[in-house]
Structures are given as C-alpha cells and as structure tokens.
Amino acid sequence: MSANKETFGKTVGFVLAVCIVCAAVVSTAAVGLKQKQIDNKALDQQTKILEAAGILPETVNKSSVNSTFDQFVEAKMIDLDSGDYIDGNPELFDERRNSRDAQKSDKPENDMAGINRRSHDAVVYLVRNGAGEVETVVLPIVGSGLWDLMFGYVGLEADLNTVKNVIYSDHKETPGLGAEVMNPKWIAMWPGKKIYGEGDVVKANLVKGGAKSGDMHGVDALSGATLTSNGVTRTLQFWFGEEGYLPYIKKNRGGLN
C-alpha cells in the first residue's frame, strides 16, 4: 500500500514538474516573441501604406520599407467630425480599441459599412516627394465583408479624388472568392479611378458583371463574392462620406500640408 502511495506521489510530482517547466517555457517564449510580433505588425502596416501610395520598394525587406517610410511618409492625427489636424501620437492610435470605447467613439447615423461604432479620431498618412511636396494621402478604411471586418488603405492623389491604390491588409474572406481583394489583378484595376462624382457624391463602386469601358468610378466586382463586393462598395461610401473623411477632404482640397 505504501509502495502504491509512493508511486502515486512520484507521478503527481512528475506531472507538476512538467507543467511548471512547460509553463515557464511558454511564458518565456511569449515574452521573447512579443516585441518581434509588434515589429512584424508595424512592418506589415508600413508595407501596405507604401503600396497604397504607389512607392513600395522593388526589394521588400525591413530595411527598405523602414527607410522609405521614414523618408517620405508623415502620419498625422485628425478629428473626423471637423476634419482638423489634432495633437496625438499616431503610433499609439488604435482605431478598433477606440471604437470599443464609448468615450472615444460614436454610433454612425448611417452605418452602411457595418462597423457598429466609429472612432472620433483617425490617422492619415501624407506621402511627400523628394521636394517635400505632398503627392499622396493614404487613408485607412474598415468595413464588413462576408465573415468579419475587412481593413485596408486607400491612396489618393493630391486632388483627393483620384485613386492611387486600394490595398486590403487584413480580412477573413473566403479564399478564391472574397479573398480576391488581395489579388494583384484586381488591385491593378483601381489606379486612376475617381471616388467622387458631382456634389461630393461617392461614386466609387464594384460593378457586378464588370465595369464598362470608360467608367471612371466602377471596378469589376469580385466573381462569386457578391456580399464581399457589396461590403467594399459600402465601406468606400461610408469612409468618403460625411461621417468619414469628407470633412477632412473638403478642408484640404486647396493643398495638403
């Protein structure tokens, strides 16, 4: 009997020791990898912003992306309601975190993008040329797709109407269908398209069956992904409307600075 107890005790002790060691290894790995995860997230964000601005280096690596971003891109905080620049640290800003805070967000009157709440503030990215002139502004967007929220960036030329690129960075859409928002062939349809028509009406949209030749606002819808395509259209309509970036765009049409 005592031998059984001794064996049981040893077994329990061994299991506890293994658990403690495993917990220590996992904890150490999590702490050690945290900064790397943060760095990788920042690198991916910078890569997508440069792609939206049309200045992504030919050789994409941490050094080339960081140096290009630091040289040409300036991040600024804005108040979405007024369109004014405000003080704040763009590196610490988190739109999704703000949107979950009732003190820092509001429910849109017309939530066509399906985001539930919209942060009071946003970050815009001014992209300058070698002479220091702003040639492009990159604006983050978020809206519902088929399965979840889709996050992306829209690069606009200095006229604040002509599209440089529309780049999605994060989504959970179906591979081969909604996930085609990441397809280079679809992305290549956007440059030169116009966001607005007359009277600041958002005309940019995805056209089921394909956009007609000469359509300055339409881009081919994603084949077999009607709900995702509708989500992209509604996201653009929301973020370039009055509850999105339109107040900022109106104030800066005379020249970005």
Side-chain angles (χ1 to χ4, degrees), residues 41-57 65 68-69 72-75 123-127 136-140 152-156 164-165 167-169:
K41 183 177 180 180
L43 178 62
D44 181 68
Q45 181 186 48
Q46 290 183 353
T47 299
K48 297 302 183 184
I49 292 169
L50 294 179
E51 191 175 0
I55 60 170
L56 186 66
V65 169
T68 303
F69 191 90
F72 297 110
V73 181
E74 178 185 10
V123 178
V124 299
Y125 300 89
L126 304 180
V127 185
T136 309
V137 60
V138 177
L139 307 173
Y153 298 94
V154 177
L156 294 181
K164 273 282 186 72
N165 279 307
I167 303 296
Y168 272 91
S169 58

Side-chain angles (χ1 to χ4, degrees), residues 27-123:
S27 178
T28 301
V31 172
L33 292 174
K34 184 175 182 180
Q35 188 57 51
K36 186 174 182 179
Q37 291 172 340
I38 293 173
D39 292 344
N40 286 341
K41 183 177 180 180
L43 178 62
D44 181 68
Q45 181 186 48
Q46 290 183 353
T47 299
K48 297 302 183 184
I49 292 169
L50 294 179
E51 191 175 0
I55 60 170
L56 186 66
E58 289 187 11
T59 301
V60 179
N61 54 45
K62 183 177 181 180
S63 177
S64 65
V65 169
N66 287 168
S67 62
T68 303
F69 191 90
D70 291 343
Q71 182 178 358
F72 297 110
V73 181
E74 178 185 10
K76 286 190 172 185
M77 297 285 301
I78 66 168
D79 175 83
L80 283 168
D81 290 329
S82 67
D84 294 330
Y85 291 114
I86 58 175
D87 294 331
N89 187 340
E91 293 184 4
L92 299 179
F93 177 77
D94 186 330
E95 191 276 338
R96 284 291 86 194
R97 181 181 61 208
N98 273 24
S99 69
R100 292 190 291 268
D101 187 334
Q103 300 300 314
K104 298 180 180 180
S105 65
D106 289 307
K107 283 185 173 292
E109 291 184 11
N110 185 2
D111 187 17
M112 65 183 76
I115 58 176
N116 189 34
R117 299 188 70 89
R118 188 219 67 181
S119 170
H120 295 156
D121 309 329
V123 178

Side-chain angles (χ1 to χ4, degrees), residues 127-141:
V127 185
R128 303 179 187 276
N129 58 24
E133 302 166 332
V134 179
E135 287 191 337
T136 309
V137 60
V138 177
L139 307 173
I141 58 172

Side-chain angles (χ1 to χ4, degrees), residues 4 8 51 55 104 122 130 180 199 201 251:
N4 289 338
F8 178 74
E51 191 175 0
I55 60 170
K104 298 180 180 180
E180 289 297 288
V201 176
K251 286 195 171 185

